[in-house]
Amino acid sequence: MLHRLSIRDIVLIDKLNVDFKNGLCVLTGETGAGKSILLDSLGLALGARADSGLVRHGSEKGSVSAEFDLPHNHPFWTLLEEQDIEPEDTLVLRRVVNADGRSRAYINDQPVSVSLLKQAGRALVEIHGQFDTQGLLNPVTHRGLLDAFGNLTTLAAQTKSAFRTWQKLEKERLEAEAALEKARADEEYLRHMVEELSALAPQEGEEEDLAAQRQMMMHGEKLLEGLKQAHGDLTANKGVETMMRNALRHLERISEKAEGKLDEVIEVLDKASEYTSMGIQALERASNDVDLDPRHLEAVEERLFALRAAARKHDVPVTELPSLKDKFEAQLNAVEAGDSALRELREKEQQARNNFTDIATKLGDQRRAVAQKLDGAVNGELSPLKLGGATFGTTIEKLDQADWNETGCDKIAFEISTNPGAPLGPIAKVASGGELSRFMLALKVVLAAADPIPTLVFDEVDAGIGGATAAAVGERLGKLAQDVQVLVVTHSPQVGARGNHHLRVSKAEHGGRVTSTIRPLDDEERTEEIARMISGEQITLEARAAADTLLNAV
């Protein structure tokens, strides 16, 4: 609920703090005292259009802060979380307007856009009367209110989930159809590529092996010549191996007389002899492996160049040719299996569609039944509010399939007719200014428990009525205030007497400047104010007695 409104330098108000309580709060005062300024200020904090004319003359800027107390489960906290604004114990909406008309908006002292402030305002306060009416005049809200009124929110959530599942599967099916169509267009190309790569049969590491072979064969003669020279150097005359064996025999014969000092020499020479023998054998094998066959070189080069040509064709490294072949084969298999997979997707999509239509149809049937109850309840409120010739109706129309959405298959709107026999039409277009607030009051009384907006403001809902009708308006405002906080600006003593709290707006001149003020009334002051509303400026004993009667009758 709205807890406090703080106003600085707005029109006739220089500095004003107003505390509000729960229940029905009535605001009264003489015409021109500043009640409209108070509501203008509240509207400014809720995101209404800023105007330089709102800033008090002689001030550089004006500001309004609206402080709210909200339960922790109120949906507004979710909006704050989405905007990364930390929740606090209280919620403060603030608007600062400069003398040039530019404004800044804040939520809990964090700068926000005016559009976000307006979104917040619509979730917290609904104003009916001289100002732009929100909430119930917007058909977008009607479906949710009808569902909440009829306890259909669970079924509505199931409808939303079923629709999203259907849409997800429809998207998957469309994507699968497009992919299959593209794959079929490429099928001949894929078959050709698979056949070509299968014939080529590239192997892992083949390019590296072929390149090494080619390098060896291209320089085969030089390699062979070098190997032969090395072999000749090792085997010329007696050969290094023979010379080392002879040296070992000489050393072994005298080693016993050297008392172990030749052991290390003998060991090293023995190993050298062994390695020399191994080296000569390796040279011989290497010489034998040198391939000087030009036909073999041609075959190696042909194979190597074929692999590299295929890699260039597909713009991949040679090492990726085997995996590319696997990829083409998988795509070809997908084409061949695509019809089966697509058929399965279509079946799942149809099942999801049927599930959605079943749930949505059930929801639509229940909405129509609930709508009859809502229409009866609202129409029962109209006659006492001097709207006896009017009719309220909830219209529910079936949507074309192209317009089905996560809310179901129905278009829902609250409509009215103000004359017997006249067709129903949108509330905002059919009702006159005086009727509009009373229609809103009738709707709000019936829908109070279903609407999450915690604070309602009615500006002169009693305009143009009096007597029993004004009493009926006051009674319904009091009834409504049992569920939500209600602020009402009124000139009707019958309505004023119904308030749980009473604030009086007045203005006075101080130092050549006119200033509006507002203050709460005690019981005695309240009696005087109700009497003034009855008799005018000259308060009579009869007016005071009538005021007592009204106040005591509540």
Side-chain angles (χ1 to χ4, degrees):
M1 71 168 194
L2 177 63
H3 175 66
R4 173 174 293 176
L5 189 65
S6 298
I7 307 171
R8 301 290 183 272
D9 295 319
I10 298 294
V11 194
L12 298 180
I13 299 173
D14 58 353
K15 182 178 181 180
L16 184 63
N17 295 317
V18 187
D19 291 332
F20 296 94
K21 299 179 181 180
N22 215 341
L24 176 59
C25 178
V26 297
L27 295 94
T28 62
E30 295 179 356
T31 300
K35 298 186 295 297
S36 62
I37 299 173
L38 187 70
L39 294 187
D40 278 338
S41 299
L42 176 59
L44 193 63
L46 300 176
R49 182 177 178 275
D51 190 306
S52 60
L54 292 172
V55 180
R56 183 174 172 83
H57 180 70
S59 300
E60 295 182 357
K61 62 183 179 181
S63 67
V64 183
S65 296
E67 181 179 330
F68 294 86
D69 289 329
L70 294 178
H72 294 298
N73 61 350
H74 193 277
F76 180 76
W77 296 118
T78 302
L79 174 63
L80 283 193
E81 290 177 4
E82 292 173 352
Q83 301 297 324
D84 294 326
I85 298 177
E86 290 292 330
E88 299 179 7
D89 292 337
T90 58
L91 173 70
V92 179
L93 308 185
R94 184 162 65 95
R95 188 83 170 278
V96 178
V97 184
N98 296 329
D100 60 5
R102 291 181 298 175
S103 71
R104 300 185 303 278
Y106 303 86
I107 296 180
N108 283 357
D109 283 333
Q110 294 193 40
V112 298
S113 66
V114 174
S115 62
L116 178 59
L117 190 71
K118 184 179 293 186
Q119 187 178 358
R122 287 174 176 169
L124 300 171
V125 180
E126 190 170 302
I127 301 177
H128 300 283
Q130 301 174 25
F131 305 91
D132 292 339
T133 305
Q134 308 160 12
L136 287 174
L137 286 192
N138 184 357
V140 172
T141 67
H142 297 174
R143 181 190 58 256
L145 290 170
L146 180 66
D147 290 346
F149 176 77
N151 295 317
L152 302 179
T153 50
T154 299
L155 189 56
Q158 292 173 357
T159 302
K160 181 177 181 179
S161 176
F163 180 80
R164 289 183 173 181
T165 299
W166 171 32
Q167 293 303 292
K168 178 176 177 290
L169 288 169
E170 182 182 57
K171 181 181 178 182
E172 290 179 3
R173 187 260 303 167
L174 291 172
E175 290 175 348
E177 285 180 342
L180 184 59
E181 183 177 352
K182 183 178 183 302
R184 282 175 174 159
D186 296 339
E187 183 176 5
E188 184 176 347
Y189 168 78
L190 289 172
R191 288 192 185 281
H192 177 70
M193 290 300 100
V194 169
E195 291 172 0
E196 188 177 80
L197 289 173
S198 296
L200 185 62
Q203 304 298 316
E204 294 287 344
E206 187 178 7
E207 180 191 25
E208 186 177 349
D209 291 342
L210 289 171
Q213 287 184 50
R214 178 172 178 262
Q215 184 72 12
M216 286 282 291
M217 295 172 72
M218 288 176 65
H219 303 286
E221 292 183 358
K222 289 184 179 181
L223 288 171
L224 187 58
E225 181 181 351
L227 289 171
K228 286 181 177 179
Q229 288 178 351
H231 187 273
D233 291 340
L234 289 172
T235 58
N237 300 322
K238 294 181 180 181
V240 174
E241 186 180 5
T242 301
M243 293 169 64
M244 293 184 70
R245 283 199 300 270
N246 290 338
L248 279 170
R249 283 197 300 271
H250 291 307
L251 292 173
E252 287 171 350
R253 282 199 296 269
I254 64 173
S255 64
E256 293 180 0
K257 299 176 181 181
E259 297 181 355
K261 291 184 178 181
L262 296 178
D263 292 349
E264 184 179 355
V265 177
I266 292 171
E267 183 181 355
V268 171
L269 290 175
D270 186 49
K271 288 183 179 178
S273 176
E274 181 181 353
Y275 284 135
T276 300
S277 176
M278 292 172 59
I280 293 172
Q281 293 174 13
L283 273 173
E284 292 171 350
R285 287 195 300 273
S287 298
N288 294 331
D289 288 341
V290 174
D291 190 350
L292 299 178
D293 186 352
R295 291 175 298 177
H296 189 196
L297 174 60
E298 183 180 352
V300 168
E301 288 184 333
E302 184 178 347
R303 176 64 177 173
L304 179 61
F305 295 160
L307 290 172
R308 290 177 174 174
R312 286 194 301 272
K313 178 178 180 178
H314 296 289
D315 195 23
V316 297
V318 173
T319 54
E320 293 185 13
L321 286 176
S323 61
L324 183 65
K325 172 178 171 290
D326 294 339
K327 177 184 176 182
F328 286 151
E329 287 178 338
Q331 290 177 343
L332 193 58
N333 291 335
V335 174
E336 295 170 351
D339 285 332
S340 176
L342 186 58
R343 185 164 51 251
E344 183 177 347
L345 261 179
R346 284 171 175 161
E347 289 175 358
K348 289 182 178 179
E349 179 193 352
Q350 185 61 44
Q351 290 173 359
R353 180 187 183 280
N354 292 341
N355 183 51
F356 166 74
T357 54
D358 289 345
I359 296 175
T361 299
K362 180 180 179 182
L363 177 61
D365 291 342
Q366 294 194 24
R367 280 172 171 167
R368 286 169 175 79
V370 168
Q372 292 182 0
K373 296 179 181 179
L374 176 64
D375 295 351
V378 174
N379 284 317
E381 295 287 332
L382 298 182
S383 181
L385 295 175
K386 203 176 180 181
L387 295 168
T391 303
F392 172 85
T394 304
T395 61
I396 302 179
E397 300 176 1
K398 293 288 289 185
L399 293 170
D400 294 335
Q401 180 175 333
D403 297 321
W404 290 356
N405 54 67
E406 60 186 22
T407 67
C409 305
D410 304 305
K411 178 183 177 182
I412 299 172
F414 297 157
E415 296 185 336
I416 61 169
S417 166
T418 54
N419 297 301
L424 295 173
I427 298 175
K429 294 182 178 180
V430 174
S432 65
E435 295 169 329
L436 187 58
S437 291
R438 279 177 281 147
F439 266 114
M440 292 300 102
L441 177 58
L443 276 168
K444 281 296 182 182
V445 169
V446 175
L447 293 171
D451 196 339
I453 298 177
T455 299
L456 304 178
V457 179
F458 288 90
D459 184 16
E460 299 188 11
V461 66
D462 50 6
I465 60 172
T469 303
V473 168
E475 180 184 356
R476 277 147 184 80
L477 287 168
K479 181 180 179 181
L480 182 59
Q482 294 175 7
D483 295 302
V484 295
Q485 181 188 42
V486 178
L487 280 60
V488 57
V489 176
T490 182
H491 289 287
S492 167
Q494 291 92 339
V495 173
R498 284 279 176 177
N500 304 114
H501 319 285
H502 196 142
L503 301 174
R504 188 175 192 275
V505 183
S506 60
K507 68 179 179 179
E509 183 177 344
H510 299 285
R513 299 186 70 180
V514 177
T515 302
S516 290
T517 60
I518 182 170
R519 65 183 186 85
L521 302 182
D522 59 25
D523 290 344
E524 183 177 345
E525 292 171 326
R526 190 176 183 195
T527 300
E528 286 295 297
E529 177 66 5
I530 297 296
R532 182 196 65 77
M533 296 168 71
I534 293 173
S535 64
E537 186 176 350
Q538 296 296 325
I539 302 176
T540 64
L541 292 176
E542 291 80 3
R544 289 190 177 94
D548 282 331
T549 300
L550 285 175
L551 289 167
N552 292 329
V554 176

